[in-house]
Amino acid sequence: MKTVSVQYFAILREQRGLTEEKVSTTAATLAALYDELRARHGFTLPGDRVRAAVNDEFVAATAPLSDGVRVVFIPPVAGG
Amino acid sequence: MFRLAAEPLDPAALQRALSDVRAGACVTFEGWVRNRNEGQPVTALEYEAYAPLAEKEGARILAEAQEKFALIGSACVHRTGQLGLGELAVWVGVTAEHRGAAFDACRYIIDEAKARVPIWKKEHYSSGATAWINCATRGGEVGDAAQPPA
């Protein structure tokens, strides 16, 4: 079991109802963690439309999930 | 220099900061809050940023542009928070020896910033509905009960 911190922005923040939480998980990858959270909280965005960041750097969703990291799932961006 | 700003932008000051006697061209771009999007009357916008990564990715885009177009200077500032109609949401400015590189670089920076920097836009419509842009899924946005008609 790993414990990671997950930060939420924009549509995910609203759908989760908070900005950050600690999550205990057995997910092997970031994509698996997103799927787990999506199932638990009813996020509308499918995993293939969300990018992932670990400790403030982009990482592939297929990357392994390490204990103790800070994870952000990034909905489709819309600056400008 | 890429940065996020919670307060209104001052384009004249931003442009002055790029002054350089080596530059023969300065091109700037201003992104404004307009009153319609895809047929919906918009009343206000809200920008939210994942600041640490937005700043890193923004800086990377400027570094790419500097190199690719041999710029003398470049800057991009993006607003966060609630903005009204007509407000300046994003400002890009570049300087180069000649206009061709300056026009191309300015375009490159705003296009890449829109595609890559983790900033999100929520539109508020006159109907009272809201929507996170680019985040719609089949059946609309959960949590936005008063979804505007498609």
Side-chain angles (χ1 to χ4, degrees):
Chain A
M1 197 66 123
K2 291 168 263 204
T3 304
V4 298
S5 131
V6 182
Q7 243 181 310
Y8 297 103
F9 290 94
I11 193 171
L12 292 177
R13 174 180 54 72
E14 289 187 351
Q15 292 179 348
R16 179 62 189 95
L18 46 76
T19 58
E20 188 159 11
E21 65 179 339
K22 293 270 183 218
V23 177
S24 294
T25 180
T26 55
T29 63
L30 286 150
L33 174 62
Y34 182 78
D35 290 343
E36 189 181 308
L37 294 170
R38 184 181 184 221
R40 192 178 305 159
H41 304 299
F43 298 150
T44 48
L45 287 169
D48 63 3
R49 293 188 55 197
V50 172
R51 295 185 73 188
V54 167
N55 298 342
D56 300 334
E57 203 47 81
F58 288 114
V59 293
T62 50
L65 182 66
S66 308
D67 187 43
V69 294
R70 191 160 40 82
V71 176
V72 178
F73 291 108
I74 300 173
V77 303
Chain B
M1 183 267 308
F2 179 94
R3 66 182 175 88
L4 299 167
E7 302 302 322
L9 307 182
D10 177 353
L14 290 166
Q15 185 170 334
R16 266 197 311 277
L18 288 177
S19 294
D20 193 309
V21 291
R22 294 171 299 168
C26 173
V27 172
T28 64
F29 170 79
E30 296 187 3
W32 296 358
V33 178
R34 68 169 182 273
N35 69 353
R36 291 190 87 75
N37 189 29
E38 293 178 2
Q40 290 292 315
V42 172
T43 55
L45 280 192
E46 212 178 305
Y47 285 102
E48 182 172 337
Y50 170 16
L53 188 51
E55 283 161 0
K56 276 189 208 174
E57 191 68 359
R60 281 193 281 256
I61 291 167
L62 293 181
E64 290 163 15
Q66 285 280 147
E67 163 119 23
K68 206 170 153 68
F69 302 100
L71 296 179
I72 291 167
S74 60
C76 177
V77 187
H78 202 297
R79 277 295 311 275
T80 57
Q82 189 104 12
L83 277 74
L85 297 181
E87 273 200 78
L88 181 50
V90 57
W91 186 91
V92 179
V94 302
T95 53
E97 276 192 57
H98 302 287
R99 68 186 182 285
F103 275 115
D104 292 348
C106 190
R107 176 68 186 254
Y108 177 83
I109 292 166
I110 187 61
D111 286 354
E112 293 296 308
K114 284 174 78 90
R116 290 163 51 184
V117 177
I119 294 175
W120 300 276
K121 171 162 57 183
K122 187 182 196 179
E123 287 183 343
H124 294 247
Y125 304 103
S126 56
S127 63
T130 62
W132 288 101
I133 300 311
N134 297 341
C135 291
T137 46
R138 211 164 31 159
E141 324 258 17
V142 167
D144 290 332
Q147 182 69 9

